[in-house]
Amino acid sequence: MENIKSDLLLPLGVSIIISLILGKIVIKILKKAHIGQSIREDGPKAHYSKAGTPTMGGIIFVFSTLITLAIFKGYSFENILIVLGMLGFGLVGFVDDFFKLVMKRSLGLTEMQKIIFQIIISFALIFLASQVSIKPIGTFIIPFINIELNLGVFAYPILAFIMIGTVNATNITDGLDGLATSVTIPVFIALTIIAINFNSNISLFSIIFTGALIGFLVYNSNPASVFMGDTGSMAIGGALVMACIIFNMSLYLIILGGVYVMETMSVIIQVISYKTRNKKRVFLMSPIHHHFELKGYKEQKIVTSFTILSTILSVITLLLFL
């Protein structure tokens, strides 16, 4: 326990401080550059007042993580892979944000362009992860029954699907002040505990990333001074899925990332219902956090409830996986 305190609590604290300092600097730069959030016209009316709030703030916790990792010499091969996942998918989000917010192109990257970039990044990262995963990369551990299934080379497209799905799910979850940030913190605390159990240096990355998110949350919580943008939400998804693939626990993302899954499924259900049931909707608006907004729940209550759910799911994952 003493080793854990000295090895992980200090990086956690340093990461929080660096994130807080960078937050002050980056928000000023974003304001000066007039890089502000545009609000969808069909979104909740309560969001109209958020128009112009600085976005692309994900660079705050991304750079905080990179700096703190360097300070504590945490660039092991495992952590480099997770960093590549964070930066690779974060870059796709950054380019999309840049085109929309800086170049003033309303669409940013097209959906096809995003998918193509994500597929290329996914297969490259999966190949690299195959060099360090705890078991062969084609091994899937099935939750609850704890049976191992080895699919060999057929695992690659499945893992690519999981990777792309996770990144886009975390992106969908970023819709309320502090929501994606708050939901993700218990997820990476769980990953820290899992990494400690495997005596993996990923514990250092996970605790540093947690600290960076905590520092960012100071500025991102309601009322938000900055949004993470696609830059941040996709970076979260990239880091999360890479860590899970290395631990051969990608199927556990259904539980660990249950809030992201719920958000994504609400969108899928809404689209299917609209197209097959004569434009009838299941939810007042999707993703589901907007449904609860339109039902009259305050943002803070929704974020708190989703964070509690994420914490419960993270604890369940720990009990099942360890």
Side-chain angles (χ1 to χ4, degrees):
M1 184 62 71
E2 288 301 320
N3 286 338
I4 292 174
K5 287 180 180 179
S6 60
D7 291 346
L8 296 182
L9 292 187
L10 181 58
L12 173 67
V14 171
S15 182
I16 293 172
I17 293 169
I18 292 176
S19 186
L20 288 170
I21 294 171
L22 278 183
K24 285 282 188 183
I25 298 169
V26 171
I27 290 172
K28 286 182 180 179
I29 293 172
L30 293 174
K31 283 182 177 179
K32 191 172 182 180
H34 302 290
I35 300 177
Q37 180 71 34
S38 58
I39 305 299
R40 52 188 270 202
E41 293 182 2
D42 61 340
K45 293 180 180 179
H47 287 212
Y48 292 169
S49 61
K50 300 181 182 184
T53 301
T55 189
M56 295 178 71
I59 58 179
I60 295 169
F61 59 78
V62 167
F63 277 99
S64 299
T65 299
L66 296 175
I67 293 169
T68 312
L69 268 177
I71 291 172
F72 289 94
K73 301 178 181 179
Y75 283 99
S76 64
F77 188 55
E78 290 176 325
N79 285 342
I80 288 173
L81 283 181
I82 300 176
V83 166
L84 288 175
M86 177 181 71
L87 293 179
F89 288 106
L91 181 60
V92 176
F94 177 83
V95 172
D96 189 42
D97 284 338
F98 185 82
F99 281 150
K100 285 188 293 188
L101 302 169
V102 180
M103 303 300 291
K104 306 302 180 185
R105 276 175 42 177
S106 58
L107 293 177
L109 292 174
T110 65
E111 291 303 316
M112 182 56 69
Q113 287 171 332
K114 286 181 186 177
I115 290 295
I116 290 172
F117 286 132
Q118 289 174 351
I119 289 173
I120 293 171
I121 293 169
S122 295
F123 277 98
L125 290 172
I126 292 166
F127 172 76
L128 292 173
S130 68
Q131 310 303 308
V132 297
S133 60
I134 294 174
K135 298 176 181 179
I137 196 70
T139 302
F140 292 89
I141 303 173
I142 302 175
F144 297 102
I145 58 178
N146 203 33
I147 292 177
E148 293 184 10
L149 186 65
N150 195 323
L151 299 180
V153 294
F154 295 105
Y156 277 71
I158 296 173
L159 288 171
F161 175 80
I162 292 172
M163 187 170 280
I164 293 169
T166 301
V167 169
N168 287 297
T170 53
N171 187 31
I172 288 171
T173 304
D174 180 34
L176 300 178
D177 293 2
L179 178 58
T181 312
S182 299
V183 163
T184 301
I185 288 171
V187 170
F188 272 89
I189 291 174
L191 283 175
T192 302
I193 296 170
I194 289 170
I196 291 171
N197 185 71
F198 283 105
N199 196 28
S200 168
N201 201 38
I202 290 176
S203 60
L204 183 59
F205 175 91
S206 297
I207 201 68
I208 286 173
F209 197 70
T210 299
L213 289 172
I214 292 171
F216 177 73
L217 186 59
V218 172
Y219 305 107
N220 186 231
S221 58
N222 186 270
S225 303
V226 66
F227 299 136
M228 67 171 65
D230 289 359
T231 304
S233 59
M234 290 190 177
I236 286 174
L240 169 60
V241 75
M242 276 305 298
C244 288
I245 286 175
I246 291 172
F247 287 130
N248 296 103
M249 58 177 293
S250 52
L251 294 184
Y252 281 83
L253 275 167
I254 298 172
I255 305 168
L256 182 61
V259 172
Y260 312 130
V261 174
M262 177 181 70
E263 293 273 31
T264 303
M265 289 305 300
S266 71
V267 174
I268 294 172
I269 291 169
Q270 188 84 323
V271 170
I272 292 174
S273 176
Y274 187 82
K275 290 184 175 180
T276 61
R277 299 175 63 235
N278 196 25
K279 298 184 179 181
K280 290 183 180 179
R281 293 176 171 86
V282 175
F283 306 103
L284 296 176
M285 184 178 292
S286 65
I288 197 169
H289 55 255
H290 289 321
H291 170 80
F292 288 117
E293 265 193 294
L294 295 180
K295 292 283 285 185
Y297 293 94
K298 299 294 185 182
E299 276 195 55
Q300 297 94 323
K301 180 167 284 190
I302 298 169
V303 171
T304 300
S305 299
F306 279 36
T307 303
I308 292 171
L309 176 58
S310 180
T311 302
I312 293 170
L313 292 171
S314 296
V315 172
I316 291 173
T317 302
L318 289 173
L319 293 174
L320 290 174
F321 188 73
L322 296 180

